[in-house]
Amino acid sequence: MSRDQGNDWTRRFSEMPHTPEIDVLVIGSGLAGAAAALAAARQGARVVMITKTDRPEEGNTWYAQGGIIYHGANDSPERLVSDILAAGAGLSDPAAAALLAREGPRLVKEVLIEQAGVPFDINGEGGLDLTSEAAHSVARIAHYQDATGRAIESSMLDRLGREPGATVLCRRTAVDLLTLSHHSRDPLDVYAPPTCVGAYVFDQETRRVETMLAKETILATGGLGRVYLHTTNPAGACGDGVAMAYRAGARCLNMQFVQFHPTTLYHPGERFLISESLRGEGARLVDPAGREFMNAYHPDGSLAPRDIVARGIHRMMHETGAECAFLDITHRPAAWVRKRFPQIHARCLEAGIDITRERIPVVPAAHYSCGGIAVDDRGRTSIRRLRAAGEVSCTGLHGANRLASTSLLECLVWGTRAGDDAGQAAVSRSSEYAVPEVAPWQYETEPVDPALMAQDWLTIRQTMWNYVGLVRSRRRLERAHEILRELHMEIGRFYVRGELSDELIGLRNGVQTSLAVLLAAMEARESRGCHYRVD
Ligand code: FAD
Ligand code: SIN
């Protein structure tokens, strides 16, 4: 990634009026944000990590089930790279895969196990209990029951809480990134190389917008599943980071590759994830007649890469008229199932399904954004002083389709590297970091009708689900374009006059990010990985 380090501008920066009090501003408190904040604080930087949610735990990380890649028996970095590249449908960056395979297991041991004390499950010999998932050639996935995300996130937040230089602020929604060219009061700053100097942040308690000036900013805002009607993602995953980066002019990549998880509970309400590790532990994926239909589509059957299994289910449903597929783990002992998958067992029981005795009805749902803000091996974006890590970023690792359980590891590796790099820079080159005078936020007061916002969200989600979903075509994408372009303008019109709220910020970002996915899908004419066009 090229970054203009122009000396003239370094000189002008030092003539600017303020020195920010925040060394590193981290936006987002999932695993990527927590890893970045911890690494930066360990460099001696003053770190502020913000999240828009009530509790710092809330986000995709908390809900992760299957696990995180470690190092299996007879495993090697080369073997992991080869699995990642095979799943990525020819578009994974080999350098990113090699970095993950080299650094990942070491950081799991050093940061997650030794520093944070994550209580991963242990096997009979006292080693980590490693499980398997689709498209992995060996069992290499460390887990805590079927709730790995909770164990990782709570341990990391506890660890971060013991770092004196780190502050965590909840109910703070980043509205926009501050850049020299967009926000400086000095008109000459439009000639500066694109540079981020912090963010406008909406405080949900006081309803005021703070100008958070920072030497370095790291976006770790997670995914965008919530722009789809059916998703595994929790509320809040509506693409804020991509939208903010887009508006600031950062380069985004591979946005068309939205991964659909093949197996979520087919039941009214939320699409609760039924972890791929069930199939890794022997669950059979069958049609209503009990046939293992995936063997017709791929030699690895139901353990084929995720995009292929999701489309296989979709096709089976289309051809047979079935409402869903089924996962069957009834052949394993009931006590073992309850111990290994307590969360899934309990949630399915609430839905009236005892998975020790009955098949689980499943359908695909939007799950993961393989694309995002383009970053290099230290999380640097195309904008100076702005880094990104985790699901909001595109490291190139996932290519056109992510290998299961690589996401948490990517958060850990790139989060740590981005935090290290940003912290080190902010501490060691302190004098280069003066920032300009930034215009204060202009408040608007027009009430925004919640019924309009609810309907706009429904339109976005239905449009993305029906026209920019698992199976796409030119006509569907064009229809989506007509709808979303109009909606984007309409939302823009009431955003500029409307009273600011977390909901309004989310809606503005949701439509912007949906358009980013759509435009990338319109550009990409060939079917590859998660982007599948029938035409
Ligand atoms: P998140 O954990 O989503 O955190 C994003 C943070 O940003 C949150 O704190 C949020 O509040 C904050 N935020 C967002 N917008 C703003 C804003 N405007 N202002 C302030 N804060 C903001 N991956 C695996 O590797 N293994 C698994 O087993 C696995 N299972 C999964 C199961 C489920 C149900 C889901 C949904 C995902 C799963 N994944 C799994 C994927 C993985 O969990 C995510 O990709 C990863 O946790 C993303 O972490 P993150 O730190 O990038 O984002
Ligand atoms: C799962 O447990 O199936 C999710 C794993 C992932 O998304 O990597």
Side-chain angles (χ1 to χ4, degrees):
M1 183 84 27
S2 74
R3 293 202 317 153
D4 185 351
Q5 299 288 351
N7 289 335
D8 288 354
W9 275 95
T10 303
R11 218 171 26 250
R12 256 187 56 75
F13 287 144
S14 62
E15 290 155 14
M16 288 177 181
H18 308 292
T19 305
E21 279 170 17
I22 302 173
D23 286 333
V24 181
L25 173 64
V26 180
I27 307 176
S29 61
L31 177 56
L38 180 60
R42 282 168 63 93
Q43 294 289 342
R46 293 159 304 171
V47 179
V48 172
M49 181 169 83
I50 61 165
T51 173
K52 64 180 177 178
T53 49
D54 296 349
R55 300 177 315 124
E57 298 90 330
E58 182 63 14
N60 278 359
T61 301
W62 182 256
Y63 297 93
Q65 294 185 359
I68 184 167
I69 289 173
Y70 190 50
H71 184 83
N74 301 320
D75 205 356
S76 67
E78 293 72 30
R79 199 161 175 176
L80 175 55
V81 168
S82 149
D83 289 352
I84 292 169
L85 300 190
L91 212 62
S92 289
D93 179 359
L99 176 64
L100 180 102
R102 198 175 63 239
E103 296 284 301
R106 177 180 71 76
L107 289 173
V108 169
K109 182 166 177 291
E110 287 177 12
V111 179
L112 295 188
I113 299 176
E114 291 170 2
Q115 290 179 33
V118 178
F120 289 116
D121 282 1
I122 302 296
N123 63 22
E125 286 94 56
L128 289 187
D129 181 50
L130 300 174
T131 192
S132 198
E133 283 183 8
H136 284 275
S137 59
V138 294
R140 55 162 77 99
I141 295 156
H143 64 98
Y144 169 75
Q145 299 176 346
D146 56 355
T148 310
R150 278 183 205 186
I152 291 179
E153 180 71 10
S154 51
S155 306
M156 282 295 281
L157 290 174
D158 280 355
R159 175 64 192 83
L160 189 62
R162 298 197 295 277
E163 246 352 280
T167 307
V168 182
L169 302 174
C170 294
R171 292 173 65 77
R172 302 291 208 291
T173 312
V175 185
D176 264 316
L177 295 168
L178 295 168
T179 68
L180 285 184
S181 39
H182 293 98
H183 301 97
S184 171
R185 284 195 143 158
D186 180 344
L188 288 183
D189 284 345
V190 293
Y191 302 115
T195 305
C196 178
V197 293
Y200 279 134
V201 176
F202 175 67
D203 180 336
Q204 296 171 35
E205 304 290 332
T206 62
R207 308 199 73 75
R208 308 299 292 171
V209 174
E210 297 166 62
T211 304
M212 284 198 181
L213 295 169
K215 293 178 182 170
E216 299 283 349
T217 303
I218 302 178
L219 271 175
T221 48
L224 52 78
R226 282 279 164 161
V227 305
Y228 284 88
L229 195 58
H230 301 297
T231 177
T232 60
N233 291 193
C238 50
D240 286 12
V242 164
M244 285 189 276
Y246 231 73
R247 289 193 291 270
R251 182 170 171 242
C252 294
L253 273 180
N254 290 355
M255 291 302 300
Q256 69 272 30
F257 299 122
V258 176
Q259 182 174 67
F260 283 66
H261 198 291
T263 58
T264 70
L265 185 63
Y266 179 54
H267 188 259
E270 302 281 298
R271 286 283 184 262
F272 179 74
L273 183 77
I274 307 294
S275 175
E276 204 158 85
S277 50
L278 248 86
R279 276 174 283 143
E281 299 281 6
R284 294 165 55 240
L285 183 63
V286 295
D287 66 12
R291 282 184 297 255
E292 293 196 51
F293 60 93
M294 272 310 301
N295 296 331
Y297 304 128
H298 196 276
D300 292 338
S302 68
L303 287 175
R306 213 171 256 185
D307 58 325
I308 295 169
V309 182
R311 273 196 303 277
I313 294 177
H314 182 265
R315 196 159 148 192
M316 179 280 289
M317 287 165 56
H318 185 72
E319 282 171 5
T320 64
E323 284 186 5
C324 61
F326 292 90
L327 265 179
D328 189 348
I329 195 153
T330 54
H331 57 289
R332 302 293 306 254
W336 178 87
V337 171
R338 281 194 292 268
K339 182 158 186 281
R340 175 67 181 84
F341 298 109
Q343 184 188 203
I344 295 171
H345 176 256
R347 178 67 187 83
C348 288
L349 263 190
E350 278 170 28
I353 303 152
D354 179 352
I355 68 170
T356 65
R357 295 189 296 108
E358 293 167 280
R359 306 183 308 182
I360 313 167
V362 290
V363 285
H367 182 61
Y368 182 82
S369 171
C370 298
I373 305 162
V375 296
D376 70 3
D377 61 357
R378 285 185 268 166
R380 294 179 301 182
T381 70
S382 58
I383 296 184
R384 292 167 54 129
R385 301 188 191 173
L386 176 68
R387 289 171 179 72
E391 192 167 338
V392 71
S393 70
C394 178
T395 62
L397 177 74
H398 309 304
N401 174 58
R402 176 174 68 98
L403 178 68
S405 288
T406 45
S407 171
L408 289 174
L409 194 61
E410 183 188 45
C411 289
L412 178 66
V413 172
W414 267 265
T416 303
R417 292 174 71 86
D420 265 341
D421 198 46
Q424 219 172 67
V427 170
S428 67
R429 299 206 310 267
S430 201
S431 61
E432 291 175 22
Y433 280 103
V435 288
E437 201 167 310
V438 166
W441 184 260
Q442 295 291 313
Y443 290 90
E444 299 292 338
T445 51
E446 200 168 289
V448 181
D449 184 348
L452 288 182
M453 287 208 281
Q455 181 54 44
D456 286 349
W457 262 125
L458 194 59
T459 306
I460 293 170
R461 290 176 174 143
Q462 284 181 334
T463 304
M464 293 300 285
W465 182 256
N466 290 323
Y467 303 143
V468 200
L470 195 51
V471 174
R472 302 162 177 178
S473 70
R474 183 174 61 81
R475 294 181 76 121
R476 290 180 197 179
L477 295 174
E478 283 173 358
R479 174 72 65 85
H481 194 214
E482 280 166 28
I483 298 169
L484 291 180
R485 205 178 35 188
E486 177 59 33
L487 199 56
H488 181 238
M489 286 192 298
E490 179 55 27
I491 291 170
R493 274 194 286 272
F494 68 73
Y495 174 81
V496 293
R497 296 188 306 261
E499 186 183 354
L500 200 63
S501 65
D502 181 57
E503 293 75 23
L504 184 57
I505 295 166
L507 177 62
R508 175 192 187 218
N509 290 333
V511 73
Q512 175 102 53
T513 297
S514 299
L515 264 177
V517 174
L518 170 65
L519 293 175
M522 292 178 88
E523 282 279 303
R525 306 249 164 111
E526 62 156 13
S527 286
R528 188 189 278 272
C530 302
H531 174 62
Y532 183 77
R533 290 186 59 153
V534 278
D535 51 356

